[in-house]
Amino acid sequence: MMNSSVTEFILLGLTQDPVKQKAVFGVFLIFYLATLSGNFLIVVTIKTSRTLGSPMYFFLFYLSFADACFSTTTAPRLIVDALAQKKTISYNECMTQVFAAHFFGCMEILVLILMAFDRYVAICKPLRYTTIMSRHVCSVLVILAWVGSCIHSSAQVFLALRLPFCGPNVIDHYFCDLQPLLKLACMDTYMINLLVVSNSGAICTVSFIILLISYVVILYSLRNHSAEGRRKALSTCTSHFIVVVLFFGPCIFMYTRPPTTFPIDKMVAVFYTIGTPLLNPLIYTLRNVEVKNAMKKLWCSKA
């Protein structure tokens, strides 16, 4: 499978400036630890709380889990490499990183769609909500999301393994992804890039459109609700929508274009690989009274 003379790659990281590298180490270590603790807190709260049993929290549990794993695929390497003299990554590690980043990234996208579907049923079909969104249905939907993510990331790795590398091995990025790898391949990557765009690009764009439509339908149907019901539904949907825009904006920018890389790419990638997993727990907890109350109970009972 591997028709390549390259056994390892060199990751340039975010910057080559030693002073800035120390800043990258400090800032991203704090970001990463905050991401892990925030998402871990949500996972533990939902698992132990009796009040957070609804499907929305069942999906939020998996979103937080995917967030923690997604940032773990890229952040530790970025943090360690900021201080390392030799920023090398082996060919196999690189392929594993491509798989993991796309697996958990896709998982996050699919769970966001499930959360939008859950809000749609809750607001537009309230009387049938409990029968449609039964625990069994939710479990099946999450399993389908895992399977879908696996198919997507396997396709990405399959494309990456097909790339022949015959010399240049410096990746101008802080993690292995198909876009920077395509630049190093010694072959015409036009077709493979088309496949990347039709796989990653289509998933991002189609998912974003589905989510936008679902929120428009939800907002439209809210006009029949009471003022209190409207306020509560709007609050939940707004937090979901903020997360969706923050995640999909950068994703669509990265994966729906010809095989060119821009200097801004790394900053855009930081935004969705490290920024979004950090912001998600903040957005969902600060805007959600039920989660805040459940967390207070959890920590007061521990104290």
Side-chain angles (χ1 to χ4, degrees):
M1 197 73 179
M2 176 181 146
N3 46 353
S4 165
S5 61
V6 170
T7 56
E8 63 178 22
F9 297 100
I10 296 161
L11 292 165
L12 283 185
L14 284 179
T15 175
Q16 271 81 64
D17 179 329
V19 178
K20 285 182 184 164
Q21 282 180 342
K22 287 193 179 71
V24 164
F25 174 80
V27 169
F28 287 100
L29 181 62
I30 293 165
F31 280 1
Y32 180 56
L33 294 175
T35 302
L36 282 189
S37 43
N39 285 297
F40 182 66
L41 182 58
I42 289 183
V43 163
V44 171
T45 304
I46 292 171
K47 257 282 170 272
T48 54
S49 167
R50 289 192 185 86
T51 52
L52 305 179
S54 69
M56 183 168 88
Y57 299 113
F58 180 74
F59 294 135
L60 181 57
F61 172 87
Y62 285 101
L63 183 72
S64 290
F65 176 73
D67 268 335
C69 296
F70 186 46
S71 67
T72 301
T73 58
T74 56
R77 161 87 46 189
L78 168 65
I79 293 160
V80 171
D81 280 355
L83 296 186
Q85 292 301 307
K86 208 161 166 264
K87 301 171 173 44
T88 55
I89 182 169
S90 74
Y91 181 89
N92 289 347
E93 273 182 284
C94 185
M95 294 302 136
T96 307
Q97 197 173 36
V98 170
F99 180 86
H102 281 273
F103 180 81
F104 292 111
C106 185
M107 184 71 193
E108 192 163 333
I109 288 173
L110 296 176
V111 172
L112 284 170
I113 290 175
L114 294 181
M115 290 174 90
F117 175 65
D118 170 67
R119 290 301 82 207
Y120 165 75
V121 177
I123 291 163
C124 303
K125 307 251 189 291
L127 300 177
R128 296 179 51 211
Y129 179 69
T130 45
T131 46
I132 296 173
M133 300 303 287
S134 67
R135 184 46 64 101
H136 175 69
V137 169
C138 291
S139 304
V140 169
L141 289 172
V142 166
I143 290 166
L144 287 175
W146 284 103
V147 172
S149 304
C150 199
I151 292 167
H152 162 71
S153 43
S154 301
Q156 296 295 79
V157 167
F158 177 72
L159 293 177
L161 289 170
R162 301 283 302 277
L163 296 172
F165 302 103
C166 45
N169 69 337
V170 177
I171 298 175
D172 186 12
H173 213 313
Y174 63 91
F175 72 102
C176 280
D177 199 6
L178 273 165
Q179 241 52 354
L181 284 173
L182 286 173
K183 270 184 86 174
L184 299 182
C186 45
M187 66 178 279
D188 179 23
T189 55
Y190 179 76
M191 277 313 292
I192 288 194
N193 189 70
L194 265 185
L195 292 170
V196 170
V197 169
S198 59
N199 185 348
S200 286
I203 285 179
C204 289
T205 314
V206 171
S207 302
F208 187 56
I209 291 165
I210 290 171
L211 287 162
L212 280 184
I213 292 168
S214 71
Y215 286 118
V216 168
V217 171
I218 288 169
L219 289 174
Y220 184 69
S221 64
L222 276 178
R223 69 195 198 293
N224 303 325
H225 286 237
S226 66
E228 173 60 20
R230 257 205 304 268
R231 194 192 56 74
K232 202 173 171 195
L234 267 175
S235 169
T236 308
C237 289
T238 309
S239 49
H240 287 209
F241 191 69
I242 293 168
V243 168
V244 165
V245 172
L246 288 178
F247 187 75
F248 283 96
C251 268
I252 291 169
F253 173 78
M254 294 293 286
Y255 293 110
T256 53
R257 58 170 205 238
T260 48
T261 50
F262 301 127
I264 199 168
D265 280 358
K266 287 193 274 194
M267 289 323 294
V268 172
V270 162
F271 203 75
Y272 74 90
T273 58
I274 293 163
T276 315
L278 172 66
L279 292 172
N280 278 1
L282 288 174
I283 292 165
Y284 282 111
T285 48
L286 294 178
R287 296 186 58 90
N288 190 309
V289 180
E290 285 177 320
V291 175
K292 275 197 282 199
N293 289 342
M295 280 183 180
K296 277 181 203 148
K297 265 190 205 152
L298 175 72
W299 295 110
C300 291
S301 65
K302 289 266 164 72

